[in-house]
Amino acid sequence: MSDVDRAAIGAAVRQLLAGSLGYLNAAALRVAVRARVADSLADGPLPVERIAELGGVDPGHLRRVLRFLATREVFREDEDGNFHLTTAAGLLRADSPIPLQSLILLFTDQTYWVPAGRLDDTVRKGVTVFDEIFGAQFFDYLATDEERQTLFSDAMACMSLTETGGVVQSYDFPEKGTVVDVGGGLGGLLYAVLSANPGLQGILFDREPVLRRHRLADPALDGRWETVAGDFYAGLPADADLYLIKRILHDKSDADCVRLLRSCRRSMAADGRVLIIDPLVPADGDYSPSIKLSDVLMMAVFEGKERTADELGALLGEADLAVSRIIPTPTTLTIVEAAPR
Ligand SMILES: C[S@@+](CC[C@H](N)C(=O)[O-])C[C@H]1O[C@@H](n2cnc3c(N)ncnc32)[C@H](O)[C@@H]1O
């Protein structure tokens, strides 16, 4: 074996072994967020003893976790043993413009972590083991756990922060009419749509406990929105011009997608439109690592998948809808516009 082959094999061994311990990366990030390390460093570097005191954790153990995270450029330790923020660590601060704390706590929560750890069972059975573990499907389980429901809604709102601007600027919204954000969570997308389109009215549709914490209350939007609580499979506000379905279908089985699309079809105005806003898998199968990662997540925790335009078109067809336009956005999301057939 040549030196080049030996070096390549050595690198591959390290890659595979580090990959198979990747869960420790997630666990260490969770420690940093829960101990509020980034917030403690907001005013400058500190020794680990002080960070641990502020976070209520053991200093010796925290030092080892932070040294590991520093190998990933999350935090930096100087020669005096003080820890500093890095660009990545700054995003873990509560006052960061993109506060990733809630997303990291969600992604490393048991509801994600435990089914992910049983991905082998999911792949063997061809179905998520989430309900086997938690006794219900994801959203029904959330409804029984207020703390996790809050965490999930906050995390989705955080994800939305980086997406809504790109969605709003990419689609030509009508000048007048009513937009329903179906499963709109805390209302980040609807807020952005209404702010950018002063002639539109909006309805935020979601489950009641989610709507209680909505973020639409802004005097600038007074009189232009309402919230409606319900089950989106059972029925939606009638006769609206646009139904937004963002980050909903990709966590659903084909059967549930059709149920939801039929619910939109039953409710929409004759010339209404549905906008499916999700990652879109290109037909040639050449898509980004982040969409492939999301696809596996959708498989492990939910009964969903990332889909191609043809796959979405087939589901729309079953609901008597058809793709009218496909509009890319500057984010990982694509807008698939659908109209009655
Ligand atoms: C993945 S989140 C997406 C939230 C938002 N559209 C976004 O992009 O940030 C799914 C949302 O659908 C809501 N949801 C789930 N099942 C629902 C149902 N059967 N009826 C109404 N809303 C539901 C959840 O409460 C949650 O807010």
Side-chain angles (χ1 to χ4, degrees), residues 139 152 160 183 185 206-207 210 230-232 246-248 251:
F139 290 105
F152 182 81
S160 249
D206 209 298
R207 292 176 156 181
V210 177
D231 173 4
F232 53 39
K246 173 170 161 293
R247 287 201 178 276
I248 303 285
D251 67 44

Side-chain angles (χ1 to χ4, degrees), residues 232-233 236 255-268 315-321:
F232 53 39
Y233 296 119
L236 288 166
D256 282 346
C257 288
V258 172
R259 279 169 75 205
L260 177 51
L261 292 169
R262 283 186 178 149
S263 181
C264 291
R265 179 68 183 89
R266 277 195 305 275
S267 307
M268 66 201 285
L315 301 176
L316 285 162
E318 289 190 50
D320 197 26
L321 292 161

Side-chain angles (χ1 to χ4, degrees), residues 139 142 149 152-153 156-157 159-160 163 181-186 189 205-207 210 230-233 245-248 250-252:
F139 290 105
L142 274 198
Q149 175 67 76
F152 182 81
S153 297
M156 289 302 113
M159 182 106 88
S160 249
E163 300 173 336
D181 194 357
V182 179
L186 301 185
L189 176 62
F205 188 94
D206 209 298
R207 292 176 156 181
V210 177
D231 173 4
F232 53 39
Y233 296 119
I245 321 183
K246 173 170 161 293
R247 287 201 178 276
I248 303 285
H250 76 153
D251 67 44
K252 304 273 174 277

